[in-house]
């Protein structure tokens, strides 16, 4: 199974579960309890792989997305005086450029967000680990003063 198929299946399963677990923001008069947690798990290597692929796609699209732009505009300009096709070709070229730019922004957003997520979690892990070390150190001093 390809990565795209696995990703699509995971998203579909998560969407189905979220839909089945939707709750109103009010009391329903029924039993209360903890809200069930989802079973979608993502590892840092998964996030890194997705971020890397988004960055690679950005680079490739940035390079290859505009190959035909110049020649398409030139053809449109030369056809406009005599044919309606020139205006249509110009419109298609503008639309293509807009769509490529939108995809580039999306790829950059995904890549940057996953980089931020990775860094934020790394900072959280460092903070937590440091706090535990200080707590252990404090406990050691407290025990040492009792003897």
């Amino acid at each position: 199974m390809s990565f795209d198929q696995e990703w699509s299946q995971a998203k579909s399963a998560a969407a189905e579960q979220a839909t089945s677990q939707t709750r109103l923001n009010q009391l329903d008069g029924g039993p209360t309890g903890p809200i069930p947690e989802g079973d979608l798990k993502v590892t840092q290597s998964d996030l890194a792989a997705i971020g890397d692929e988004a960055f690679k796609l950005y680079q490739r699209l940035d390079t290859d997305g505009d190959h035909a732009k110049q020649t398409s505009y030139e053809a449109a300009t030369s056809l406009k005086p005599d044919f309606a096709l020139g205006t249509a070709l110009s419109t298609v070229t503008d639309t293509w450029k807009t769509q490529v730019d939108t995809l580039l922004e999306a790829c950059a957003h995904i890549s940057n967000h996953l980089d931020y997520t990775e860094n934020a979690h790394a900072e959280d892990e460092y903070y937590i680990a440091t706090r535990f070390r200080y707590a252990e150190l404090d406990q050691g001093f407290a025990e040492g003063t009792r003897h």
Side-chain angles (χ1 to χ4, degrees):
M1 184 178 292
S2 75
F3 175 79
D4 291 335
Q5 290 169 327
E6 289 177 8
W7 179 253
S8 179
Q9 285 180 350
K11 283 179 23 181
S12 295
E16 286 176 17
Q17 185 176 10
T19 301
S20 68
Q21 293 179 355
T22 301
R23 305 180 126 223
L24 296 176
N25 193 14
Q26 64 187 22
L27 292 176
D28 63 0
T32 60
I35 297 172
E37 302 233 355
D39 62 352
L40 181 62
K41 304 286 186 232
V42 179
T43 65
Q44 188 56 48
S45 60
D46 293 333
L47 294 175
I50 294 167
D52 288 345
E53 290 302 316
F55 182 69
K56 289 176 190 173
L57 180 59
Y58 176 92
Q59 288 179 317
R60 182 92 190 265
L61 188 58
D62 191 35
T63 302
D64 296 342
D66 283 343
H67 280 316
K69 182 176 76 172
Q70 186 63 34
T71 54
S72 296
Y73 278 128
E74 289 172 5
T77 301
S78 66
L79 291 170
K80 276 183 185 179
D82 300 317
F83 301 98
L85 179 64
T87 302
L89 182 57
S90 181
T91 301
V92 168
T93 305
D94 290 339
T95 302
W96 174 258
K97 177 65 178 145
T98 300
Q99 290 176 342
V100 167
D101 289 345
T102 301
L103 283 172
L104 286 171
E105 288 176 23
C107 289
H109 179 76
I110 291 167
S111 180
N112 291 338
H113 177 73
L114 291 175
D115 286 344
Y116 170 77
T117 301
E118 179 180 359
N119 292 336
H121 287 298
E123 290 171 9
D124 290 344
E125 288 293 326
Y126 176 77
Y127 175 77
I128 291 167
T130 303
R131 296 297 296 167
F132 278 120
R133 282 191 216 120
Y134 287 137
E136 290 170 6
L137 184 62
D138 286 344
Q139 182 181 3
F141 281 127
E143 288 175 4
T145 58
R146 283 187 240 154
H147 295 279

